[in-house]
């Protein structure tokens, strides 16, 4: 079984989680890069607005050929109880190529079921698993226990 961890991260938390998952699954990562500048307070406000309005954005061309991978683990931060525009663009562009997908969302406070429903609508495919990682999980390192569960999900297959 082969895996690819794909992530979008603005301030580095999701990147950290994605890298840990890639170590665990012994696989490569691919970073989604949003070409819109989202730095600073204005960037934050526009980011939240764009996510809320379900906007897409231009992203840098990805380097991996997704046809090659059996399982994608997509990691992203929650924005305005929604998915970041870069994730929406990525899924719109590549959903036909994705065989199996799972979601790992990082967030400030708590799991957001409506966000997972929204992302399921975009890709129209049942994820193998969804994991929510809060700021507290990162601080207390509980996220390491949460991501260890990933191996069990795949071992069930
Ligand atoms: C524009 C914006 C909107 C956000 N909205 C939410 C939210 O609705 N709920 C939440 O729990 N966290 C929210 N957050 C916090 C991020 O989801 C959280 O800090 C995440 O772990 C950041 O990941 P990153 O460092 O990979 O960018 C928001 C952050 C940003 C920048």
């Amino acid at each position: 079984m082969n895996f690819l961890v794909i992530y979008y991260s603005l301030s580095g938390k999701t990147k950290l989680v994605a890298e840990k998952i890639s170590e665990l699954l012994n696989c490569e990562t691919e970073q989604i890069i949003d070409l819109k500048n989202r730095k600073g307070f204005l960037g934050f406000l526009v980011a939240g607005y764009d996510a809320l309005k379900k906007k897409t954005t231009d992203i840098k061309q990805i380097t991996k050929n997704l046809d090659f991978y059996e399982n994608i683990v997509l990691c992203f931060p929650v924005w305005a109880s929604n998915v970041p525009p870069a994730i929406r663009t990525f899924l719109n562009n590549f959903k036909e190529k994705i065989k199996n997908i799972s979601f790992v969302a990082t967030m400030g406070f708590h799991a957001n079921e409506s966000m997972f429903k929204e992302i399921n609508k975009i890709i129209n495919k049942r994820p193998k698993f969804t994991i929510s990682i809060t700021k507290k999980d990162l601080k207390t390192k509980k996220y390491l226990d949460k991501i260890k569960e990933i191996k069990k999900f795949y071992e069930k297959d």
Side-chain angles (χ1 to χ4, degrees):
M1 217 187 286
N2 67 3
F3 306 92
L4 179 65
V5 174
I6 304 182
Y7 69 92
Y8 170 70
S9 181
L10 184 64
S11 60
K13 296 186 183 83
T14 313
K15 182 175 199 278
L16 172 84
V17 171
E19 284 171 353
K20 288 281 179 207
I21 297 172
S22 78
E23 278 172 32
L24 189 85
L25 295 175
N26 194 18
C27 70
E28 291 184 293
T29 61
E30 169 86 38
Q31 183 173 14
I32 299 171
I33 296 174
D34 190 341
L35 295 176
K36 188 163 177 175
N37 182 359
R38 301 196 182 273
K39 296 223 160 76
F41 185 62
L42 188 63
F44 171 82
L45 289 182
V46 175
Y49 178 81
D50 286 353
L52 198 64
K53 291 289 173 192
K54 307 187 194 308
K55 291 197 177 194
T56 53
T57 186
D58 290 332
I59 59 173
K60 200 169 160 190
Q61 194 166 358
I62 68 164
T63 62
K64 308 276 191 308
N65 180 357
L66 299 193
D67 289 330
F68 181 72
Y69 298 94
E70 201 60 39
N71 292 287
I72 303 290
V73 181
L74 185 63
C75 309
F76 57 90
V78 175
W79 281 5
S81 301
N82 220 302
V83 293
I87 290 294
R88 197 175 282 279
T89 301
F90 168 78
L91 288 173
N92 284 342
N93 292 355
F94 294 101
K95 60 185 167 193
E96 307 301 339
K97 283 182 179 276
I98 294 173
K99 297 183 189 90
N100 296 297
I101 194 154
S102 303
F103 302 123
V104 178
T106 74
M107 61 203 69
F109 306 103
H110 56 83
N112 190 306
E113 285 312 312
S114 67
M115 184 274 303
F116 285 124
K117 277 192 192 138
E118 173 64 22
I119 200 166
N120 288 348
K121 258 196 267 165
I122 305 170
I123 186 162
N124 200 16
K125 195 167 270 166
R126 238 173 104 96
K128 275 200 177 291
F129 61 82
T130 59
I131 293 180
S132 300
I133 295 177
T134 63
K135 194 174 164 185
K136 192 171 167 205
D137 293 333
L138 285 166
K139 204 170 163 203
T140 59
K141 303 263 188 285
K142 192 180 166 197
Y143 81 99
L144 293 171
D145 295 331
K146 287 193 172 181
I147 64 174
K148 269 188 204 141
E149 296 294 309
I150 291 177
K151 275 203 150 176
K152 290 189 197 155
F153 286 116
Y154 289 119
E155 277 160 10
K156 272 194 231 146
D157 285 357

